[in-house]
Amino acid sequence: MFYDVNEDKLKEECGLFGVYSHTKPISFLTYLGLYALQHRGQESAGIAVTNGTVTNVKKALGLVGDVFKNCLPELESQYIATGHVRYSTTGSNLVRNTQPLLVNYSGGQLSLSHNGNLINANELRKELENEGCVFQTSIDSEVIINLIARSRKSTTEEKIIEACQKIKGAFCLVIMTLDKLIAIRDPHGFHPLCLGKIEDDFVVSSESCAFDTVGADFLRDIEPGEMVVIDKDGLKSYKNSLQGTLAKCSFEYVYFARPDSNLDGQNVYEARMNLGATLFKETNIKADIVISVPDSGTPAAIGYSKASGIPYVEGLLKNRYIGRTFIQPDQKNREASVHLKLNVVKSLVKDKSIIMVDDSIVRGTTSARLINMLRAAGAKEVHMCISSPPVLFSCYYGIDINQGKELIATVKTKEEIRQFIGANSLNYISLEGLKSSIENTKTCTLCAACFDGRYPTETPCEKNNKFIFEADKK
Amino acid sequence: MFYDVNEDKLKEECGLFGVYSHTKPISFLTYLGLYALQHRGQESAGIAVTNGTVTNVKKALGLVGDVFKNCLPELESQYIATGHVRYSTTGSNLVRNTQPLLVNYSGGQLSLSHNGNLINANELRKELENEGCVFQTSIDSEVIINLIARSRKSTTEEKIIEACQKIKGAFCLVIMTLDKLIAIRDPHGFHPLCLGKIEDDFVVSSESCAFDTVGADFLRDIEPGEMVVIDKDGLKSYKNSLQGTLAKCSFEYVYFARPDSNLDGQNVYEARMNLGATLFKETNIKADIVISVPDSGTPAAIGYSKASGIPYVEGLLKNRYIGRTFIQPDQKNREASVHLKLNVVKSLVKDKSIIMVDDSIVRGTTSARLINMLRAAGAKEVHMCISSPPVLFSCYYGIDINQGKELIATVKTKEEIRQFIGANSLNYISLEGLKSSIENTKTCTLCAACFDGRYPTETPCEKNNKFIFEADKK
Amino acid sequence: MFYDVNEDKLKEECGLFGVYSHTKPISFLTYLGLYALQHRGQESAGIAVTNGTVTNVKKALGLVGDVFKNCLPELESQYIATGHVRYSTTGSNLVRNTQPLLVNYSGGQLSLSHNGNLINANELRKELENEGCVFQTSIDSEVIINLIARSRKSTTEEKIIEACQKIKGAFCLVIMTLDKLIAIRDPHGFHPLCLGKIEDDFVVSSESCAFDTVGADFLRDIEPGEMVVIDKDGLKSYKNSLQGTLAKCSFEYVYFARPDSNLDGQNVYEARMNLGATLFKETNIKADIVISVPDSGTPAAIGYSKASGIPYVEGLLKNRYIGRTFIQPDQKNREASVHLKLNVVKSLVKDKSIIMVDDSIVRGTTSARLINMLRAAGAKEVHMCISSPPVLFSCYYGIDINQGKELIATVKTKEEIRQFIGANSLNYISLEGLKSSIENTKTCTLCAACFDGRYPTETPCEKNNKFIFEADKK
Amino acid sequence: MFYDVNEDKLKEECGLFGVYSHTKPISFLTYLGLYALQHRGQESAGIAVTNGTVTNVKKALGLVGDVFKNCLPELESQYIATGHVRYSTTGSNLVRNTQPLLVNYSGGQLSLSHNGNLINANELRKELENEGCVFQTSIDSEVIINLIARSRKSTTEEKIIEACQKIKGAFCLVIMTLDKLIAIRDPHGFHPLCLGKIEDDFVVSSESCAFDTVGADFLRDIEPGEMVVIDKDGLKSYKNSLQGTLAKCSFEYVYFARPDSNLDGQNVYEARMNLGATLFKETNIKADIVISVPDSGTPAAIGYSKASGIPYVEGLLKNRYIGRTFIQPDQKNREASVHLKLNVVKSLVKDKSIIMVDDSIVRGTTSARLINMLRAAGAKEVHMCISSPPVLFSCYYGIDINQGKELIATVKTKEEIRQFIGANSLNYISLEGLKSSIENTKTCTLCAACFDGRYPTETPCEKNNKFIFEADKK
């Protein structure tokens, strides 16, 4: 793909889904749930099911639709299923790194799916290797599983809690044993995890949007530091074993989560409209029209339009047919094909002053191209409004930010960026504006480390915390 | 695919593209052009290229991205290319019915691509068979080619004109010989066809949006009844040979054409915003918010919002990852998966009175589902506003309308439809409103036969003008 | 494929199969029949079926197993089926050149499959084009079909006979109309065609081996110049309309036909054993062992062994797992991989004098490699014995022989070839020996033009009778 | 595949290949080596390469040609490669059970490939689980790797030897670390493993035939109980650490190994010819012709022919085009398609008394079908001669024999089998005859447990030693 709007976006790590039901088509529900969570990871997908005796897992590189093109994993009398979609922030993008990770250990069989990044995975891995452990993958999940297997505690629940007390960083886990579905959210609450019900049966999901897709009702968020265990006796909650400061990822609200999800009580679409409204209040720029960089910039653009009274129109349109197969063009033809994925509706933008709203700027190349296209179509002025502050720092909790030259804000001043993208003005929302738009409470519980560098946990000693296991080649 | 918003839409026939250039990568430009025209036909795609001596064609069932996944047709020193995307309104969806159709005849080689439906294809075919012709496909294009080959005129241009004088109905043709690129638009101008330029080289396309994609400039529309011939001597235009009443398809403006195209001088996005504005003026319904059925209802919804001052929000969101591979669900799970492709943003619609704008209602099933979802999410009222009049009559010119029970408006009254879809009110734009929104001229040149039954040509004697050639099985 | 024993073989054109039955699974029988005839053509495969009203055809490039991997063409109440496998001696290897070729004409529908080459196809094609015909393929079959369609005769049978009186060269045809299965063999009898029965139903096939595969009994050969028509009234034979000298292709016996087939009363395996025995009688070479170049040289080797009393062993073994997918090796590794497809059993050949029997030498490269391998394994002497005379002339009747440097015997003397392949002696069977081994009759009816240049018909005026329709690229 | 001659054969476990070279294309050589060893396992294939820093592995279900269709694993400056083909006798046929198995452990990276079955794998696995190990596969190899990783010895060599002292049963191992290529053969020598050289570089392989394919010279067999270590200092051999009785698998000679391989000094083709000769000496049956069940029965048939003077002919011919894709026929058509894969050359067998030689009888169904076909073709008598004794006992060392009704010899007497297959006589070679044909030494070192039940090691306590890890579904 020679030109991809999404290329210029930060990447989220993973999406989790689980269901416990003796009567529902649980493989199919998990498949639907993963479809709803596909935006959280497009590199691999997997589903594991158990009937209490054996576990069947099917996982591969690719989108949910591709991985399960021919069939879903199924077992006679199956009643617990768990699924995972992944973008690889740790571990290479290899088949063996796909999840759920299924193992046999002294306690029977166990499948584990993980969303987030540990900050002490490498130290733990080395300790375990020194004690004779072997590792077949380069994902944090295998470290967690080995900690569980080596725990001397007597119950599965205690083993898992003991393991979770050793790991540090961001982790939402969905674990399936032969008779239990277990969901844990780290005490900081970096990433979302919630609980739902279909009739009398429980489901867990990274985001509430998956509940709509499978016809489930949202019950509540799983609390930071909470472990929820679903088995034949119903649902049990374990709290207070894991402690930490609240630090919910701001970028889930800005870009990652689906707008129709509610995270910890806040609807994402509304949060984004608030960001747009705040952006107008802070910048107070007037123009003829508000447009968005579709699709992620649209809610903030509509929020800006509503707050300012400036009409919102679709000045940029996406081609809905551009798929994953695209012949690589000759060098000389690259430029000609810029308009393939996004096109300007010329008559809407001609002779207009324009406010263009996007959620973030990573490398700035897409912004530059789009502004160029708008000007070629006759736009009079283009004011770029960004519904998040400049991204300046690495994330250790599951977002793929490589500090350095890829982040334009770390190497250029705001004025230099404005010039680079060719805008008449460049406007970021303030950090305070961001926080107040997402949360109306006085005590802010957001992690904004990528904006201000204030990490809510200790940080890894090594600069590069990607575990170097092997070549990334396939 | 068990649930597809687009299933409940009328289908357009075809998209055409052609380029003549000694210096440009013409296969790749045609490939890009077809990507831009993909919305006009998703069943098959084909590209033919010539270098003046031989012709190479590659065509298959599938989307552009799939058909040309591995390679494009290429020839040493090629300089004319033509491409086609197709939805089968005549002829079965079979490999042999794909276009461009390439033949050898006494005049050399000739490739032909056709958009539209002839009304006298069957009569002509029978006449030709009686004279000893054999037919290998069931598409109108083969009839046209045989008429050309049997013409006793001396030049290719004259042969083509003679053939076009015999055929009746809707036809935009792009013909490629070993040294010419020829484009013809029927005298009624049912479907669009336009001319562009990349530097000094000519391109033709069904819609102007493809010019943006390939980096070409729009020159002008090809006029109804005009034939344009591009060869080493440049461009020549032939007019006045084909006569007929102007009758431009209304549905191109309502739904088929891409919003960023301009058809005969009118931008489609603006036309749709006008339709929305007119709809407000005619119905004058007030509510808390305006939402659209994405993506095709959005421009009219924004037009309604702008005219009425009622805020537009994205109350319904599309899942961008739903592809063409989807496992068929169990019957009992069908209902649960309604929310897979479109989801309601509950917090935006809860306790709100809503105006929902869509471009048309075909069977009404999608509307009913969506209104049901909105009510389940707490919507107080849902007023359905349609930016076209009720579709009541068959189309003989290239749109796949089967008169009868599939068209809800032919079997139910407006009030019955309102009850069927569960709306608080159901509102169609008037035919006058439609016409005035699209054309500001006094002399209307639109075909509105599917709305009012006034066909601009004679109609086929047989009820079913699909040519029965063979079983549709593949 | 960098090294392929079969690359160094002449190529046959086509295989035909047809069945007429109201009770049998005719698609499946045709599929089996084509599997049995796969050796006659590996480039494309096709099956057409009819139920008397419509015809369904499925055909594509590839082996039978690949083309019909997912499904066979089927129709409700189908009762006639016809199939074709093809190696392209005329026409490029393109999808549109696959057969059966299905057309609609004034007489209804007609599917035609052809084995052999016409010598006047180009002249006929030009005449037809001048009369207004268009051609969509570059195969002779389309010429024949147009002749049939333009015939003014009243019955299908008469039309076909009239067409066959105009064409010259080699043709076995299987034609399917909506109610008849028709088989014709040219008056020279170049290629085989035979008739069988499954219970009360008739089948036709290029070779009798297909009858064994489908459980049919062999009835008789279709005679040179005969047309057989199978319909609801049973079988009718038409003779005497087509006249010509008998000229049965020698190479069918030497290499093309399957050894378990009987052609015009002669079993092919026995004919090849006879060739081996004659070879011994003519050369009288003694050695320790006889080996063959598997698989095609084996029957003659066993015949040589039996006649001479010298033991036959498998000195060369084929790797049965080498498929069609093989990664292209680096240049320097080509030599290392010679042994991938054929390997020497060293302990069998070490210190032995060897007679190696093969059916023919085309370019000589394979022979040279094998002899080199045998010597490396310690063979004392290698005597190359060929069960056909040197191939010196082009074939115009369906075998792909390009006169010129590809045929080693046209550019090197026998002694030079012996040196080139590194044999201790090189021995061809004599032309007389060949004829007497195949036929015990006094009046020889074989075509041996590729050996002696005596063509049984006039020859095409143009040197290259491949019809140049277009580029061979796909 | 509804009818497969090979279905009625015992299955071998695995093939191993390894190469250490700084100058050769080692991935490609390994790929060629696996092609040569494909007969030892057709369910999965894998190749791992290292450059001393990282390891790259590519493995999947399927044949070598399919798994490496698009690319081989490659690394900059790679110099050790190892490959594996597998038929699953332990562990389900699942992606995660493919080999080489690559792990990270305290000693760095290690890839292990295994041929053979352990008899104490389950006990060891349970012990390891109780000590906190997790298992991700169900193959013995993972047990061995964990034993190596937990060894407290200081060098890799010592760790491996310690692990090998704990495991019991059949094991040929090829292990690759970041700087060593290590090959071990169990002290019983059940399965073959040998050492070769390409110029100055070492290769190891299950069978010597792979050396021919890659252009290597055979150096010697790796001795039972020997470990060979290849690294920058050349080759070192470790003997005497592993002790056990010699017990070389007889079936390697009878059926598994490729005829062009030499195992422990004995050429396989010659051994099979000896078996045929012995069979004649023991049975002394006379007839008109000797035929074989191709391809595996051919060497013994030729041996029988040579010893008896009765001519060998190919009475049964294989269709070389039958691939892995075959449409499932209707029930009623199954019988009709018996002749698809093997066909009788009628004129060779008609009115003849026949000796038909095969290597073994498992279920007897194929033999019955073939004899039926021969009789239908007019054979006067059919004497079935088997070049191995009746298979009566399970194998615990890597051959997939399920004791019970699948083995016809365990449930029917010899006379009942003769009647079942419809032969005039049924003749097995004697156990003594088998041994003397393979080995000319007085001290027999063969394992013949599947014939006589005398197991050379203790046997597993559990009847079914397949490790039950999970459902076999994919």
Side-chain angles (χ1 to χ4, degrees), chain A residues 36-331:
Chain A
L37 298 171
Q38 183 78 79
H39 62 288
R40 296 186 71 84
Q42 292 105 52
E43 292 191 350
S44 72
I47 295 178
V49 291
T50 187
N51 60 6
T53 309
V54 292
T55 305
N56 191 353
V57 63
K58 182 178 168 78
K59 50 188 190 169
L61 300 182
L63 292 173
V64 174
D66 297 331
V67 171
F68 301 104
K69 185 163 53 180
N70 299 314
C71 67
L72 294 169
E74 303 275 359
L75 287 173
E76 194 73 31
S77 308
Q78 62 188 15
Y79 68 101
I80 321 181
T82 172
H84 189 264
V85 288
R86 179 172 187 257
Y87 168 77
S88 55
T89 53
T90 72
S92 305
N93 183 22
L94 294 165
V95 174
R96 68 170 163 279
N97 285 342
T98 54
Q99 304 190 36
L101 187 60
L102 167 65
V103 302
N104 241 33
Y105 80 117
S106 61
Q109 282 175 22
L110 186 148
S111 310
L112 185 144
S113 299
H114 175 206
N115 175 22
N117 260 28
L118 302 188
I119 56 177
N120 64 336
N122 284 1
E123 293 90 310
L124 291 170
R125 187 183 294 261
K126 271 194 199 121
E127 280 173 39
L128 288 163
E129 284 183 1
N130 289 337
E131 290 167 22
C133 284
V134 301
F135 287 90
Q136 297 184 35
T137 79
S138 48
I139 49 175
D140 294 353
S141 317
E142 198 179 9
V143 172
I144 305 174
I145 275 183
N146 272 281
L147 292 173
I148 295 170
R150 298 174 73 84
S151 168
R152 297 292 175 188
K153 298 287 182 181
S154 52
T155 68
T156 305
E157 286 86 340
E158 288 169 316
K159 285 172 195 280
I160 292 172
I161 287 173
E162 191 180 71
C164 287
Q165 285 166 340
K166 289 183 182 160
I167 60 179
K168 295 176 190 168
F171 54 92
C172 289
L173 306 176
V174 172
I175 296 172
M176 184 176 81
T177 69
L178 290 174
D179 57 2
K180 291 173 204 294
L181 177 66
I182 299 170
I184 308 113
R185 191 176 177 196
D186 69 62
H188 311 287
F190 283 110
H191 298 297
L193 193 60
C194 56
L195 186 67
K197 237 178 162 179
I198 319 185
E199 294 168 19
D200 291 334
D201 296 319
F202 289 102
V203 286
V204 294
S205 170
S206 285
E207 290 185 32
S208 66
C209 64
F211 294 157
D212 296 337
T213 301
V214 303
D217 295 313
F218 174 84
L219 275 185
R220 64 174 178 86
D221 294 287
I222 292 176
E223 291 177 24
E226 181 182 7
M227 175 169 82
V228 155
V229 179
I230 299 154
D231 63 12
K232 68 179 189 326
D233 300 322
L235 181 142
K236 234 176 268 169
S237 165
Y238 297 75
K239 297 184 188 173
N240 305 319
S241 306
L242 306 173
Q243 307 293 340
T245 334
L246 275 185
K248 297 184 293 177
C249 172
S250 310
F251 242 88
E252 294 277 359
Y253 296 91
V254 168
Y255 172 69
F256 293 135
R258 242 175 65 171
D260 50 342
S261 285
N262 297 316
L263 308 185
D264 293 318
Q266 169 66 58
N267 171 254
V268 174
Y269 199 100
E270 286 189 320
R272 290 182 191 167
M273 282 182 71
N274 293 345
L275 289 167
T278 302
L279 202 44
F280 169 68
K281 274 169 225 147
E282 291 186 356
T283 61
N284 203 23
I285 297 175
K286 297 288 169 47
D288 298 325
I289 53 170
V290 176
I291 69 171
S292 79
V293 181
D295 296 320
S296 60
T298 303
I302 287 176
Y304 196 108
S305 161
K306 203 174 162 194
S308 65
I310 305 170
Y312 164 77
V313 292
E314 295 176 290
L316 292 169
L317 284 175
K318 255 189 169 172
N319 183 340
R320 303 297 175 196
Y321 292 102
I322 300 302
R324 296 162 69 83
T325 52
F326 196 86
I327 292 170
Q328 206 62 21
D330 303 88
Q331 185 53 39

Side-chain angles (χ1 to χ4, degrees), chain B residues 15-37:
Chain B
L16 311 173
F17 190 85
V19 56
Y20 185 109
S21 170
H22 284 276
T23 55
K24 305 276 183 318
I26 57 170
S27 291
F28 188 69
L29 289 180
T30 306
Y31 171 68
L32 290 178
L34 294 187
Y35 248 122
L37 299 171

Side-chain angles (χ1 to χ4, degrees), chain D residues 160-357:
Chain D
I160 292 172
I161 287 173
E162 191 179 71
C164 287
Q165 285 166 338
K166 289 183 182 160
I167 60 180
K168 296 176 188 167
F171 55 92
C172 289
L173 306 177
V174 172
I175 296 172
M176 184 176 82
T177 68
L178 290 175
D179 58 0
K180 290 172 204 294
L181 177 66
I182 299 169
I184 308 113
R185 192 177 176 197
D186 69 61
H188 312 287
F190 282 110
H191 298 297
L193 192 60
C194 55
L195 187 67
K197 236 178 163 179
I198 318 185
E199 294 167 22
D200 291 335
D201 296 319
F202 290 102
V203 287
V204 295
S205 170
S206 285
E207 291 185 32
S208 66
C209 63
F211 294 157
D212 297 336
T213 300
V214 303
D217 295 313
F218 174 83
L219 276 186
R220 63 174 180 86
D221 294 289
I222 292 175
E223 292 177 24
E226 182 182 6
M227 176 170 81
V228 153
V229 179
I230 298 153
D231 62 12
K232 68 179 189 326
D233 301 322
L235 182 141
K236 236 174 269 169
S237 165
Y238 297 75
K239 297 182 187 173
N240 305 320
S241 306
L242 307 172
Q243 306 292 340
T245 335
L246 275 186
K248 297 184 293 177
C249 172
S250 310
F251 242 88
E252 293 277 357
Y253 297 90
V254 168
Y255 171 70
F256 293 136
R258 242 174 65 170
D260 50 343
S261 286
N262 297 317
L263 308 184
D264 293 319
Q266 170 65 58
N267 171 253
V268 174
Y269 199 101
E270 286 189 321
R272 289 181 192 168
M273 283 182 71
N274 294 346
L275 289 167
T278 303
L279 202 44
F280 169 68
K281 274 168 228 149
E282 291 186 355
T283 60
N284 203 22
I285 298 175
K286 297 286 170 47
D288 298 325
I289 53 170
V290 175
I291 70 171
S292 78
V293 180
D295 297 319
S296 59
T298 303
I302 287 175
Y304 196 107
S305 161
K306 205 174 160 192
S308 64
I310 305 170
Y312 164 78
V313 292
E314 296 176 290
L316 291 168
L317 282 175
K318 253 190 170 173
N319 182 340
R320 302 296 175 196
Y321 292 102
I322 299 303
R324 298 163 68 85
T325 51
F326 196 86
I327 292 169
Q328 206 61 21
D330 304 88
Q331 184 54 36
K332 70 169 175 174
N333 224 48
R334 271 176 178 267
E335 282 314 302
S337 45
V338 167
H339 299 239
L340 185 58
K341 296 201 126 191
L342 277 180
N343 198 18
V344 174
V345 183
K346 287 181 193 169
S347 52
L348 294 182
V349 304
K350 197 177 176 199
D351 298 327
K352 296 281 177 17
S353 65
I354 298 168
I355 289 160
M356 178 162 77
V357 181

Side-chain angles (χ1 to χ4, degrees), chain D residues 69-90:
Chain D
K69 185 164 52 180
N70 299 314
C71 67
L72 294 168
E74 303 275 0
L75 287 174
E76 195 73 32
S77 308
Q78 62 187 17
Y79 68 101
I80 320 181
T82 173
H84 189 263
V85 289
R86 177 172 189 258
Y87 168 76
S88 54
T89 54
T90 70

